[in-house]
Amino acid sequence: MQQVPYGYVDRDKPLIRVPFTRLAVITVCLPLLGLIACVVLALLYHYNDATYTHCQVPNYLPSISAAISLTPERYIWRFSIGLHSAPRFLVAAAYLSFYRGRFSRRLKEQLLSGVTFLLALSENVGLLLLTYVSSTETYSVHKSGFIVFIGSSLVHMMCTCKLWSMIAKYSLSEEEMMSSRLKSRLFLFNLFFCLLAAYFYRRHNTYCETGIYTLFALCEYLVVLSNMAFHMTAYWDFGGKEVMVATPPEGKRF
């Protein structure tokens, strides 16, 4: 038997090895559970503050911005998004590598994949901005973060759907075709409720009707949940992949 020094570590063995499916579930569950906790706590312990608007008419659900601006809800949300954001950057890079491999000889799709990657980064940065600057602290900065998040999210979804329609067009994989269909449906669902939320928000500010802000809040929840579901499709896109931290081969070290 070959003798090895005490404390010897096999340098070729991965230090960390995580299935991509597990990473996808964890990444989506963090903001999902954080959102549920914030809304429930806001309704139970800060109902009047969470549902108050300048119109001073009865409302029955808090907007997400209101729910995550209270204490301790803001800390729960910041903790969830803080842990959630790092894997999101990793997933964006994984998709960029995936697209470059699939469209290695197609310039148009290569450029679109680059734009999609930048939009994914912008969406995540917008989410971090609106999370760590609450609406009760600096409203203009929070509003800017929200606009960046929603705008980047919608265009990112649209570009992703375009790329996956090209993949599905020439693919024989049932999973890839299902992923393309699911992405398209979630994008349309998200877009519809974004427009509906904007309508209810404007109507509330214009007419100050009872319950209209509640409908806005409900639409806002559906927008965020469908956004999470859209990103969850990475579960099928990278189902057989793993995330590893390992020592590179000798020839590939810098």
Side-chain angles (χ1 to χ4, degrees):
M1 179 182 294
Q2 183 181 3
Q3 298 294 319
V4 296
Y6 176 75
Y8 171 79
V9 177
D10 183 359
R11 293 179 62 84
D12 294 328
K13 183 179 179 181
L15 299 175
I16 299 174
R17 192 170 187 169
V18 181
F20 206 102
T21 50
R22 186 180 302 172
L23 180 68
V25 171
I26 293 171
T27 302
V28 171
C29 282
L30 282 168
L32 175 61
L33 296 176
L35 177 63
I36 292 171
C38 289
V39 172
V40 170
L41 287 173
L43 288 172
L44 290 177
Y45 299 108
H46 308 106
Y47 182 82
N48 290 332
D49 290 336
T51 57
Y52 174 83
T53 71
H54 69 282
C55 286
Q56 300 184 15
V57 294
N59 290 296
Y60 312 104
L61 286 175
S63 68
I64 294 176
S65 293
I68 66 174
S69 66
L70 302 165
T71 303
E73 292 90 327
R74 72 174 66 179
Y75 303 120
I76 295 172
W77 182 246
R78 288 173 181 177
F79 177 77
S80 300
I81 296 302
L83 293 177
H84 162 84
S85 61
R88 280 282 295 274
F89 287 119
L90 178 64
V91 172
Y95 269 115
L96 178 62
S97 178
F98 171 77
Y99 294 142
R100 284 182 171 177
R102 293 301 292 262
F103 302 115
S104 58
R105 299 182 180 180
R106 306 185 65 166
L107 180 60
K108 181 180 176 181
E109 283 76 12
Q110 286 269 8
L111 292 174
L112 185 58
S113 65
V115 171
T116 305
F117 172 70
L118 293 176
L119 287 165
L121 299 185
S122 176
E123 179 186 347
N124 207 20
V125 169
L127 178 60
L128 286 169
L129 187 60
L130 72 88
T131 294
Y132 286 96
V133 182
S134 70
S135 59
T136 56
E137 292 172 336
T138 309
Y139 178 74
S140 60
V141 176
H142 177 84
K143 181 181 178 180
S144 297
F146 178 80
I147 292 171
V148 169
F149 170 71
I150 289 295
S152 299
S153 172
L154 286 170
V155 183
H156 171 262
M157 287 184 181
M158 182 176 66
C159 292
T160 300
C161 289
K162 177 60 178 177
L163 288 168
W164 276 88
S165 68
M166 298 301 296
I167 291 172
K169 185 177 180 180
Y170 300 104
S171 175
L172 297 177
S173 168
E174 183 60 33
E175 284 190 348
E176 289 183 342
M177 289 188 285
M178 181 194 72
S179 179
S180 177
R181 289 194 298 268
L182 187 58
K183 284 178 171 65
S184 296
R185 290 168 185 172
L186 287 168
F187 166 62
L188 293 174
F189 183 93
N190 187 275
L191 178 62
F192 173 77
F193 281 101
C194 272
L195 295 174
L196 199 59
Y199 166 75
F200 284 130
Y201 183 80
R202 183 177 179 82
R203 180 167 170 174
H204 169 75
N205 287 329
T206 303
Y207 301 108
C208 288
E209 298 169 287
T210 298
I212 293 297
Y213 200 76
T214 300
L215 295 176
F216 161 73
L218 183 60
C219 290
E220 193 180 31
Y221 299 164
L222 292 173
V223 167
V224 171
L225 291 174
S226 59
N227 177 276
M228 294 179 190
F230 188 93
H231 289 291
M232 186 63 191
T233 58
Y235 182 97
W236 293 278
D237 298 340
F238 301 111
K241 302 293 190 296
E242 292 181 327
V243 177
M244 292 193 298
V245 176
T247 304
E250 291 288 342
K252 294 186 178 180
R253 293 179 188 171
F254 294 97

